Amino acid sequence: ITSRQSCRSGANPGCVVARLLHWSLCPCSTHVPCIDPPPPQKLRPSPPSCMSNAACTCGARGGTDECGGRQLMMSRITMNQIDPLANATVVWIDIAAGTNTVRLDNVGLINGGIGVRMDSPSDDPAGVSPGRPLFLLANDLEIDFPLLNAIELSRGEEVQLSNCYVQGSKLRNGIYVAATWNSEIQIVNSRIFGHNQSGIVLGGGAHALISNNMIGDNSVGGVGQHSGVLVLAGASDFILSTNHIGAVFKGQASSAQKAGVEIEAGVSDGYVVQGNTLTGNAACLLDGGTGTHKVVSGNVCIPG
């Protein structure tokens, strides 16, 4: 998927290549033009018959996939802004109000501004505009070198990320979960690496699970300024387990990260930080949560 020349030229900042609203769409095309002028009204697949408000046949999967129920599946697609500075405000996939389910399988999002964003004007009603979008299920998602947050979750219900490669935000974070996020996020078996600020920022939601990931060599913007995983003050109900957080490469003694895990001072409670390997960070673990229902134990600490 490539963007139209007017987007590449930077004439229309804030351009969104794929904006998913409360209508249905079938992945029938591998070329989706960037909509001009912003804000985009619709994603325009070719042929137009792929999009309707009724059930439709979903290309590569065959048969029906509940397209009428506002679901989208993208598979084996790479989107690349060849000139990384020409239109850095591009949002590659914008999951907006009323969207039901988005499935991403083997999708690559290179350069641009934000890789994937979920947001809506209101939290309720769930799955109905103007309320929050519902589900993002991503496997083998690659996001490289965005200008801002690679994945930005402001409003939504559930995100599952597995076997993902999220690398190199030039100014912000790998995965940013805002305080307005409603419910679950699961991040497993993924590599989150080399971001200007933190690898993961957890600010809200419930039942977050961050497990079996490589989270390393973040805080590229300044030594000791940002932690590998940052939990914002008051965020609660999360599990951080069996991650490697810190220096990535063999023989590397230190990374630029402030701490492997940092929980800001506040009333955070109901969490588990256990079984992580924290190597090469200036500090291993900074636990500022004042809650009494928590387990912080069994973490391997090798400071840099």
Side-chain angles (χ1 to χ4, degrees):
I1 295 179
T2 57
S3 57
R4 191 180 292 172
Q5 179 62 40
S6 60
C7 280
R8 292 199 302 270
S9 69
N12 294 305
C15 185
V16 175
V17 172
R19 191 174 195 196
L20 313 178
L21 302 171
H22 59 275
W23 36 264
S24 57
L25 181 148
C26 289
C28 301
S29 172
T30 58
H31 180 84
V32 180
C34 197
I35 305 306
D36 180 17
Q41 299 302 307
K42 290 183 179 179
L43 184 68
R44 299 176 184 172
S46 178
S49 60
C50 287
M51 185 164 60
S52 71
N53 289 320
C56 56
T57 299
C58 285
R61 291 289 183 185
T64 60
D65 192 19
E66 298 181 40
C67 288
R70 304 185 299 279
Q71 298 197 21
L72 167 69
M73 189 277 290
M74 287 186 178
S75 179
R76 296 179 177 85
I77 293 175
T78 296
M79 301 185 242
N80 186 9
Q81 172 52 268
I82 297 172
D83 182 348
L85 298 179
N87 192 19
T89 55
V90 164
V91 178
W92 285 121
I93 300 175
D94 194 12
I95 304 171
T99 304
N100 189 311
T101 301
V102 177
R103 293 182 175 91
L104 304 178
D105 182 21
N106 193 8
V107 170
L109 310 172
I110 317 301
N111 297 314
I114 295 173
V116 178
R117 180 172 65 190
M118 291 183 75
D119 197 7
S120 61
S122 172
D123 193 53
D124 292 315
V128 179
S129 183
R132 65 182 182 271
L134 294 182
F135 311 119
L136 169 62
L137 313 175
N139 179 65
D140 195 14
L141 169 65
E142 176 186 355
I143 303 178
D144 289 317
F145 312 120
L147 186 69
L148 305 174
N149 294 316
I151 298 175
E152 185 172 289
L153 306 175
S154 295
R155 290 190 188 275
E157 187 152 317
E158 180 183 12
V159 166
Q160 297 180 20
L161 305 173
S162 61
N163 306 310
C164 297
Y165 186 91
V166 182
Q167 173 184 229
S169 169
K170 296 180 180 71
L171 296 178
R172 299 289 164 73
N173 309 282
I175 300 170
Y176 182 86
V177 185
T180 49
W181 185 254
N182 184 280
S183 298
E184 304 154 45
I185 178 166
Q186 300 178 41
I187 307 169
V188 299
N189 301 332
S190 296
R191 190 177 199 245
I192 302 160
F193 170 79
H195 299 282
N196 184 277
Q197 297 181 3
S198 292
I200 299 173
V201 177
L202 180 63
H207 323 310
L209 172 64
I210 302 171
S211 183
N212 294 351
N213 301 289
M214 173 67 73
I215 305 168
D217 286 339
N218 298 289
S219 194
V220 173
V223 175
Q225 293 186 9
H226 303 280
S227 297
V229 176
L230 174 63
V231 179
L232 299 181
S236 298
D237 190 6
F238 59 88
I239 296 174
L240 297 171
S241 67
T242 59
N243 301 284
H244 180 102
I245 308 176
V248 170
F249 302 106
K250 183 177 180 179
Q252 180 184 353
S254 63
S255 75
Q257 294 180 168
K258 174 183 177 182
V261 175
E262 179 184 359
I263 302 168
E264 289 185 333
V267 296
S268 293
D269 198 6
Y271 56 88
V272 174
V273 182
Q274 192 169 46
N276 300 284
T277 302
L278 310 172
T279 64
N281 306 284
C284 288
L285 196 157
L286 302 174
D287 181 13
T290 59
T292 57
H293 306 91
K294 62 182 182 180
V295 175
V296 180
S297 67
N299 299 288
V300 175
C301 175
I302 307 175

